[in-house]
Amino acid sequence: MHCKVYIKRFESLKAMLVFSILFLLLSNAVTLRRDKSILFSRVSIVILLYCILFANNSLYMSSIDRGIGIYSGLFHMTTITQIFHIFIFLVSAIILQLTAFYPRRVWSEKYSSLNKIMLYNFVYYRSKIINKKGEQFKIIEYPLIMLFIITGSVFLISTSDLVSIFLSIELQSYGLYLLSTLYRNSELATSAGLTYFLLGGLSSCFILLGTSLLYSNSGLTNLDGLYIITSLSDIASSEGISYWYKNDYINMSLLILSVGFLFKISAAPFHFWSPDVYDSIPTVVTTFVAIVAKISILIFLLELVHYTSNSLFSMEFSWTSSLLTSSLLSLIIGTIAGLTQFRIKKLFAYSTISHLGFILLALTINSIESIQAFIFYLMQYSLSNLNAFIILISVGFSLYCFVNDNKEYEELGDKNNSPIQLISQIKGFFYINPVLSLSFAITIFSFVGIPPLIGFFAKQMVLSAALDMGYIFITLVAILTSVISAVYYLNIVKQIFFDQSEYIVNPELLNIDIHGNITRKDALIEKLTFNYKNIILSSYLTISISIMTLIILLFIFMPQEWLSMANILALILFNP
């Protein structure tokens, strides 16, 4: 009875996403107003919150040991998959806020109390000064494509068949290609999206080849059957139980499969496409591409590594050696190449590659401690990276009232969609917005791994697990690269806090008075006059940044919930 209930809930979750996409498609077809994108983004946030409720209701499967399979074994449902479904829905809902609300608002001390905000309306003029419409507020397909990608991510996390692996990863990838090229007026984004498509297609060929070889060797498409065959590999080779099964063959097949997925997450040495793509596409899109696309693939690799690596450790060669090699190269390349970067999104791309080295290291070790570290590191880094990108976007919004005479900034392309492209553009930003600068510094210190921030504990857990399993050399490399990476991280902090700002208030705004009306039920209450100093960041930006910054900063005072969840998930995986 309980099993049937959970299956229905899981199917309801999938149906919710699919029907939401269909309804948004129909609404896109009948509307003629391009500003409906804001409404669609808000509807998508409600959809994701509803999906979180569905996933949470089916989270506790006390009567089921290892989860349940649905759709004839194409997908499976476990505690780990449900937790990361919720996590992806939550992260995506936060990202969708960037296109669901205007970035700036007018602040009036007299009408800022909670009861007045609820009872009164503020109608103002010269709205372009307050909310200049960027391209992200005009594209109604944006939330729709994001739901396609999220659906592919959810399927990939829950996949348990070679066929559903390829379908899920392609559903996610095609959405990412479209999302990258969605800004049709941006030549840079179109070029980057085309590069992403071509190299993504190449990586899909590796995945398809790997799955084809696995099927040709085992005759199975279901991963559970593959795991069973793999666990019997030693017996098969010693007693000749299965003459058609070759250990090296399946190792090579999984190696080719892993190459395709390492391409997708831009881990070294298959990272070369990501810095240019991340830098060229709009920052709003980069926020989604750099975070959500990696979570689903890494969680899929978690189960694949766990169920295929243990029985192969006794052999001379294991396909997980490719992940360890990629971890080592990601640590080195992500750190060394980041030292020469002056474009901030390229720097974040190499930072992601470096952190992937820690994540892949924890994944390859495959012990209870390392899987706990893997889960914790993946979740905390996703939130920290999300906070960094949202702050970067907010910096661009907060500089709207300022001008800069630097000719280098005037020559930057696609400034409307990516206002902050160079590290030097945030020089002296502390003197413009001290609180936002402090939040940015805290997030960067967490990337470095400075105690007592959350990033320190994540790195410490990974390095501790690696030392316990005897990975001394790569642990020393990880420590050394963490120290070296502090150079380019702290350079950002230095420019924000210690360099002189080159920005001045736009002279055209100094003598402009903006007029607005306070109304209640369409009745005029009062006329207000304000200037550019009353224009501040919207509440959704400030609240989101504040919450994530406090999580990063105050983790030491509330570590039990996060660590206990990661520990429980690791124990569930090892002790089904």
Side-chain angles (χ1 to χ4, degrees), residues 346-359:
K346 276 191 176 182
L347 181 62
F348 281 173
Y350 283 109
S351 168
T352 299
I353 295 169
S354 177
H355 286 278
L356 277 172
F358 282 92
I359 295 173

Side-chain angles (χ1 to χ4, degrees), residues 1-13 54 57-61 63-64 68 70 77 82:
M1 179 63 69
H2 289 291
C3 183
K4 291 182 179 179
V5 171
Y6 290 125
I7 290 175
K8 288 182 179 179
R9 288 176 177 174
F10 188 77
E11 291 177 346
S12 298
L13 174 60
F54 266 117
N57 289 338
S58 57
L59 180 62
Y60 304 102
M61 297 176 290
S63 62
I64 303 170
I68 55 177
I70 61 173
M77 175 183 174
Q82 294 304 101

Side-chain angles (χ1 to χ4, degrees), residues 173-174 177 181 191-204 277:
S173 299
Y174 285 146
Y177 306 150
T181 57
S191 175
L194 183 59
T195 302
Y196 191 12
F197 169 70
L198 294 175
L199 295 178
L202 177 62
S203 64
S204 297
V277 171

